[in-house]
Amino acid sequence: MSDSSVNDAQAQFWTAAGTTWTEQRDNFDQQANDHGLAAVDALAPTKGEFIIDIGCGAGTSSVQLAKRVGDSGRVSALDISPTMIEGAETFAAGHGIDNITFAVADAMFDDMGPDADCVYSRFGVMFFADATAGLANMRRALRDGGRLSFVCWQSPKENPWASVPLSIASNHVEMPFGTDPTAPGPFSLGDPDRLNAVLDDAEWSDVVLTSRQADLNLGDDLDEAIAFMTNLMPPLQALAKTHAEKFATFRSELSEALSTWTTSEGVICPSATWIVTANK
């Protein structure tokens, strides 16, 4: 690991989140999986390839990639959070997958190459403190002609499922990322002009941004949706345990906001991502 402390806040946040995210993997995958698989399809992995999965989280994307490359291929799954890596290792073992290696690493700094065929990320690159540096380091991990694919959220406006709860939460607890769309966080690469500029500065070629929209089901009712958003953010879990009155206020405000998207089929909210591909 680099001795830089620039990503310490992110490391602390995702380490705190790791256990819950592992326990709630199915719920979280319900929101991320289709967007993530679209980026896997855009990458078009083939048997025998070596892929690095950046910000592998609880392991779903790593297992998906490992199945695509087959026994003759391999996946290096990296995450800044040791609790995420622990959960991902258990998940892969439970699926009988043995062509993945897992490691705690900061992909913005750490040496990862230069012999991978592909680098991939499902909602990971938005959290780099310096997106250009992180994407340049990912490029260095590739052999000549290697490929990049990742998925990131578009603007807060296009993703009220996350931006609305985050805005309300920031009034009650300190978050490692706020609502500033240019700061490291869910929406840092949402602006296509900024995203293209970052990729250009990181010296990627043949960049393609594909817009993808999908409705997300946050839960069968408001109680499930609020529980989902609380589990998503460790500071809210802590607030619920230590400041019941403040959490009740947050819960009331979020319930009112989410009621806009409450239907007979659940709390259905729009989302939008960029599916990004490029070549070294």
Side-chain angles (χ1 to χ4, degrees), residues 242-261:
T242 59
H243 297 284
E245 188 172 336
K246 286 185 68 175
F247 181 77
T249 301
F250 160 78
R251 194 181 188 287
S252 175
E253 293 172 357
L254 183 58
S255 179
E256 181 178 356
L258 292 181
S259 65
T260 301
W261 297 289

mmCIF file of all heavy atoms in Angstrom, residues 242-261:
data_model
loop_
_atom_site.group_PDB
_atom_site.id
_atom_site.type_symbol
_atom_site.label_atom_id
_atom_site.label_comp_id
_atom_site.label_asym_id
_atom_site.label_seq_id
_atom_site.Cartn_x
_atom_site.Cartn_y
_atom_site.Cartn_z
ATOM 1 N N THR A 242 -27.252 5.413 18.474
ATOM 2 C CA THR A 242 -26.789 6.322 19.521
ATOM 3 C C THR A 242 -27.645 7.570 19.701
ATOM 4 O O THR A 242 -27.591 8.199 20.757
ATOM 5 C CB THR A 242 -25.335 6.765 19.238
ATOM 6 O OG1 THR A 242 -25.290 7.427 17.962
ATOM 7 C CG2 THR A 242 -24.402 5.563 19.219
ATOM 8 N N HIS A 243 -28.422 7.942 18.689
ATOM 9 C CA HIS A 243 -29.243 9.152 18.773
ATOM 10 C C HIS A 243 -30.625 8.856 18.186
ATOM 11 O O HIS A 243 -30.944 9.283 17.070
ATOM 12 C CB HIS A 243 -28.585 10.315 18.020
ATOM 13 C CG HIS A 243 -27.262 10.725 18.588
ATOM 14 N ND1 HIS A 243 -27.140 11.464 19.751
ATOM 15 C CD2 HIS A 243 -25.999 10.473 18.171
ATOM 16 C CE1 HIS A 243 -25.860 11.667 20.006
ATOM 17 N NE2 HIS A 243 -25.148 11.077 19.068
ATOM 18 N N ALA A 244 -31.401 8.135 18.944
ATOM 19 C CA ALA A 244 -32.695 7.671 18.446
ATOM 20 C C ALA A 244 -33.593 8.816 17.998
ATOM 21 O O ALA A 244 -34.303 8.706 16.990
ATOM 22 C CB ALA A 244 -33.391 6.850 19.524
ATOM 23 N N GLU A 245 -33.578 9.931 18.724
ATOM 24 C CA GLU A 245 -34.460 11.045 18.379
ATOM 25 C C GLU A 245 -34.049 11.680 17.055
ATOM 26 O O GLU A 245 -34.899 11.971 16.195
ATOM 27 C CB GLU A 245 -34.434 12.093 19.491
ATOM 28 C CG GLU A 245 -35.468 13.197 19.293
ATOM 29 C CD GLU A 245 -35.557 14.125 20.501
ATOM 30 O OE1 GLU A 245 -35.193 13.699 21.608
ATOM 31 O OE2 GLU A 245 -36.004 15.264 20.312
ATOM 32 N N LYS A 246 -32.738 11.888 16.868
ATOM 33 C CA LYS A 246 -32.252 12.452 15.607
ATOM 34 C C LYS A 246 -32.541 11.501 14.452
ATOM 35 O O LYS A 246 -32.903 11.927 13.350
ATOM 36 C CB LYS A 246 -30.751 12.736 15.685
ATOM 37 C CG LYS A 246 -30.385 13.944 16.518
ATOM 38 C CD LYS A 246 -28.897 14.228 16.455
ATOM 39 C CE LYS A 246 -28.475 14.696 15.082
ATOM 40 N NZ LYS A 246 -27.039 15.084 15.038
ATOM 41 N N PHE A 247 -32.380 10.202 14.700
ATOM 42 C CA PHE A 247 -32.647 9.234 13.635
ATOM 43 C C PHE A 247 -34.128 9.235 13.286
ATOM 44 O O PHE A 247 -34.485 9.098 12.104
ATOM 45 C CB PHE A 247 -32.206 7.824 14.043
ATOM 46 C CG PHE A 247 -32.440 6.803 12.960
ATOM 47 C CD1 PHE A 247 -31.590 6.736 11.864
ATOM 48 C CD2 PHE A 247 -33.524 5.935 13.027
ATOM 49 C CE1 PHE A 247 -31.808 5.812 10.851
ATOM 50 C CE2 PHE A 247 -33.750 5.013 12.020
ATOM 51 C CZ PHE A 247 -32.895 4.943 10.928
ATOM 52 N N ALA A 248 -34.980 9.383 14.276
ATOM 53 C CA ALA A 248 -36.414 9.431 14.004
ATOM 54 C C ALA A 248 -36.758 10.621 13.109
ATOM 55 O O ALA A 248 -37.617 10.520 12.219
ATOM 56 C CB ALA A 248 -37.191 9.506 15.315
ATOM 57 N N THR A 249 -36.081 11.746 13.347
ATOM 58 C CA THR A 249 -36.301 12.920 12.495
ATOM 59 C C THR A 249 -35.845 12.639 11.068
ATOM 60 O O THR A 249 -36.550 12.954 10.101
ATOM 61 C CB THR A 249 -35.548 14.133 13.045
ATOM 62 O OG1 THR A 249 -35.993 14.408 14.379
ATOM 63 C CG2 THR A 249 -35.777 15.360 12.175
ATOM 64 N N PHE A 250 -34.649 12.049 10.953
ATOM 65 C CA PHE A 250 -34.152 11.672 9.623
ATOM 66 C C PHE A 250 -35.141 10.735 8.935
ATOM 67 O O PHE A 250 -35.483 10.908 7.758
ATOM 68 C CB PHE A 250 -32.790 10.992 9.741
ATOM 69 C CG PHE A 250 -32.420 10.166 8.537
ATOM 70 C CD1 PHE A 250 -31.964 10.767 7.387
ATOM 71 C CD2 PHE A 250 -32.559 8.779 8.563
ATOM 72 C CE1 PHE A 250 -31.643 10.005 6.256
ATOM 73 C CE2 PHE A 250 -32.240 8.011 7.454
ATOM 74 C CZ PHE A 250 -31.779 8.626 6.301
ATOM 75 N N ARG A 251 -35.613 9.758 9.674
ATOM 76 C CA ARG A 251 -36.508 8.745 9.100
ATOM 77 C C ARG A 251 -37.802 9.401 8.609
ATOM 78 O O ARG A 251 -38.307 9.059 7.529
ATOM 79 C CB ARG A 251 -36.819 7.683 10.158
ATOM 80 C CG ARG A 251 -37.448 6.426 9.609
ATOM 81 C CD ARG A 251 -37.761 5.434 10.721
ATOM 82 N NE ARG A 251 -38.191 4.164 10.168
ATOM 83 C CZ ARG A 251 -39.355 3.941 9.599
ATOM 84 N NH1 ARG A 251 -40.236 4.918 9.518
ATOM 85 N NH2 ARG A 251 -39.652 2.749 9.110
ATOM 86 N N SER A 252 -38.325 10.338 9.380
ATOM 87 C CA SER A 252 -39.556 11.024 8.990
ATOM 88 C C SER A 252 -39.342 11.841 7.717
ATOM 89 O O SER A 252 -40.176 11.820 6.804
ATOM 90 C CB SER A 252 -40.033 11.922 10.129
ATOM 91 O OG SER A 252 -41.151 12.682 9.743
ATOM 92 N N GLU A 253 -38.216 12.547 7.654
ATOM 93 C CA GLU A 253 -37.914 13.365 6.478
ATOM 94 C C GLU A 253 -37.709 12.497 5.239
ATOM 95 O O GLU A 253 -38.183 12.824 4.142
ATOM 96 C CB GLU A 253 -36.670 14.213 6.742
ATOM 97 C CG GLU A 253 -36.873 15.282 7.803
ATOM 98 C CD GLU A 253 -35.577 15.984 8.172
ATOM 99 O OE1 GLU A 253 -34.507 15.591 7.645
ATOM 100 O OE2 GLU A 253 -35.627 16.916 8.995
ATOM 101 N N LEU A 254 -37.005 11.378 5.408
ATOM 102 C CA LEU A 254 -36.765 10.494 4.271
ATOM 103 C C LEU A 254 -38.066 9.836 3.806
ATOM 104 O O LEU A 254 -38.310 9.690 2.607
ATOM 105 C CB LEU A 254 -35.732 9.428 4.631
ATOM 106 C CG LEU A 254 -35.341 8.470 3.502
ATOM 107 C CD1 LEU A 254 -34.799 9.231 2.301
ATOM 108 C CD2 LEU A 254 -34.307 7.449 3.989
ATOM 109 N N SER A 255 -38.907 9.453 4.756
ATOM 110 C CA SER A 255 -40.182 8.837 4.410
ATOM 111 C C SER A 255 -41.025 9.785 3.555
ATOM 112 O O SER A 255 -41.630 9.375 2.551
ATOM 113 C CB SER A 255 -40.937 8.458 5.684
ATOM 114 O OG SER A 255 -42.183 7.886 5.372
ATOM 115 N N GLU A 256 -41.039 11.039 3.947
ATOM 116 C CA GLU A 256 -41.808 12.024 3.184
ATOM 117 C C GLU A 256 -41.242 12.175 1.775
ATOM 118 O O GLU A 256 -41.992 12.242 0.789
ATOM 119 C CB GLU A 256 -41.791 13.368 3.906
ATOM 120 C CG GLU A 256 -42.588 14.453 3.188
ATOM 121 C CD GLU A 256 -42.603 15.770 3.944
ATOM 122 O OE1 GLU A 256 -42.067 15.824 5.070
ATOM 123 O OE2 GLU A 256 -43.164 16.738 3.403
ATOM 124 N N ALA A 257 -39.902 12.215 1.675
ATOM 125 C CA ALA A 257 -39.272 12.384 0.362
ATOM 126 C C ALA A 257 -39.505 11.171 -0.534
ATOM 127 O O ALA A 257 -39.815 11.315 -1.729
ATOM 128 C CB ALA A 257 -37.773 12.619 0.545
ATOM 129 N N LEU A 258 -39.366 9.976 0.013
ATOM 130 C CA LEU A 258 -39.511 8.762 -0.789
ATOM 131 C C LEU A 258 -40.951 8.464 -1.167
ATOM 132 O O LEU A 258 -41.207 7.684 -2.090
ATOM 133 C CB LEU A 258 -38.928 7.559 -0.039
ATOM 134 C CG LEU A 258 -37.412 7.536 0.162
ATOM 135 C CD1 LEU A 258 -36.994 6.272 0.907
ATOM 136 C CD2 LEU A 258 -36.678 7.629 -1.175
ATOM 137 N N SER A 259 -41.887 9.081 -0.464
ATOM 138 C CA SER A 259 -43.301 8.829 -0.781
ATOM 139 C C SER A 259 -43.625 9.228 -2.218
ATOM 140 O O SER A 259 -44.577 8.711 -2.813
ATOM 141 C CB SER A 259 -44.204 9.577 0.200
ATOM 142 O OG SER A 259 -44.051 10.988 0.062
ATOM 143 N N THR A 260 -42.832 10.121 -2.790
ATOM 144 C CA THR A 260 -43.019 10.533 -4.187
ATOM 145 C C THR A 260 -42.941 9.345 -5.128
ATOM 146 O O THR A 260 -43.622 9.314 -6.160
ATOM 147 C CB THR A 260 -41.939 11.563 -4.583
ATOM 148 O OG1 THR A 260 -42.037 12.695 -3.724
ATOM 149 C CG2 THR A 260 -42.087 12.005 -6.027
ATOM 150 N N TRP A 261 -42.103 8.358 -4.765
ATOM 151 C CA TRP A 261 -41.864 7.222 -5.664
ATOM 152 C C TRP A 261 -42.535 5.930 -5.169
ATOM 153 O O TRP A 261 -42.242 4.856 -5.680
ATOM 154 C CB TRP A 261 -40.362 7.009 -5.824
ATOM 155 C CG TRP A 261 -39.689 8.185 -6.456
ATOM 156 C CD1 TRP A 261 -39.785 8.589 -7.757
ATOM 157 C CD2 TRP A 261 -38.859 9.147 -5.810
ATOM 158 N NE1 TRP A 261 -39.057 9.735 -7.973
ATOM 159 C CE2 TRP A 261 -38.467 10.104 -6.793
ATOM 160 C CE3 TRP A 261 -38.382 9.306 -4.509
ATOM 161 C CZ2 TRP A 261 -37.644 11.183 -6.502
ATOM 162 C CZ3 TRP A 261 -37.553 10.382 -4.220
ATOM 163 C CH2 TRP A 261 -37.199 11.316 -5.195
#
